[in-house]
């Protein structure tokens, strides 16, 4: 799990979403904006319509922050705020292995797509 220092607050998420540069995958949209701190920060937005219970939302949120912790350690010259938004039409289920695998695949796809461009 990633520490709170590397997470975005609600106000900061809104700022990134207003001044966004999006990258798309099948079920997730990545918005990012350059920040002024010396480290990158992450956030994820999971709609209530995408999950059946808050337990499921927390499950996917924790999987996301585990991946963000690994990506945080990559060498970057500039630091950014990243906001991942799960599309409303995407249905997430923690008991479905294919759903969990697709979620993790989309996150890593977007991370690979954006990180080489910033180096």
């Amino acid at each position: 799990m990633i520490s709170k220092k590397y997470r975005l607050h609600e106000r900061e998420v809104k700022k990134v979403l207003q001044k966004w540069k999006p990258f798309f995958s099948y079920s997730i949209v990545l918005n990012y904006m350059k920040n002024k701190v010396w480290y990158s920060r992450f956030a994820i937005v999971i709609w209530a319509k995408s999950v059946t219970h808050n337990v499921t939302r927390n499950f996917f949120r924790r999987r996301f922050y585990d991946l963000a912790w690994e990506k945080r350690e990559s060498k970057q010259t500039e630091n950014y705020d990243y906001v991942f938004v799960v599309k409303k039409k995407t249905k997430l289920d923690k008991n479905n292995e294919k759903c969990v695998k697709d979620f993790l695949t989309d996150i890593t796809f977007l991370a690979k797509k954006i990180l080489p461009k910033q180096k």
Side-chain angles (χ1 to χ4, degrees):
M1 192 76 159
I2 196 168
S3 64
K4 287 192 175 190
K5 174 181 171 181
Y6 299 109
R7 296 186 213 170
L8 289 171
H9 298 284
E10 184 178 354
R11 192 175 86 205
E12 296 163 338
V13 168
K14 288 179 182 178
K15 188 183 295 185
V16 172
L17 291 176
Q18 287 175 353
K19 302 174 183 179
W20 50 286
K21 293 183 179 180
F23 284 94
F24 299 94
S25 72
Y26 290 112
S27 60
I28 300 174
V29 178
L30 167 63
N31 300 305
Y32 72 98
M33 184 177 77
K34 189 172 179 180
N35 66 20
K36 295 180 181 176
V37 294
W38 58 273
Y39 49 86
S40 294
R41 299 179 294 187
F42 299 90
I44 187 165
V45 177
I46 301 175
W47 297 95
K49 292 183 178 182
S50 296
V51 294
T52 54
H53 303 287
N54 284 337
V55 174
T56 306
R57 178 182 292 122
N58 287 335
F59 174 82
F60 284 101
R61 205 171 52 88
R62 288 184 176 136
R63 294 300 168 268
F64 168 76
Y65 284 128
D66 288 341
L67 282 176
W69 181 255
E70 295 171 6
K71 301 300 179 194
R72 179 196 64 82
E73 296 173 351
S74 65
K75 303 292 182 199
Q76 296 181 13
T77 56
E78 299 176 337
N79 294 305
Y80 289 83
D81 293 335
Y82 299 102
V83 177
F84 292 78
V85 180
V86 177
K87 295 180 181 178
K88 288 182 185 178
K89 66 175 182 144
T90 305
K91 301 298 178 199
L92 299 175
D93 182 18
K94 71 176 190 166
N95 296 326
N96 186 350
E97 290 182 22
K98 183 182 182 306
C99 183
V100 174
K101 183 180 175 185
D102 290 343
F103 176 78
L104 297 176
T105 304
D106 284 344
I107 297 290
T108 54
F109 168 76
L110 288 170
K112 287 179 184 177
K113 189 173 182 182
I114 192 74
L115 288 177
K117 291 185 177 187
Q118 295 173 1
K119 288 185 179 179

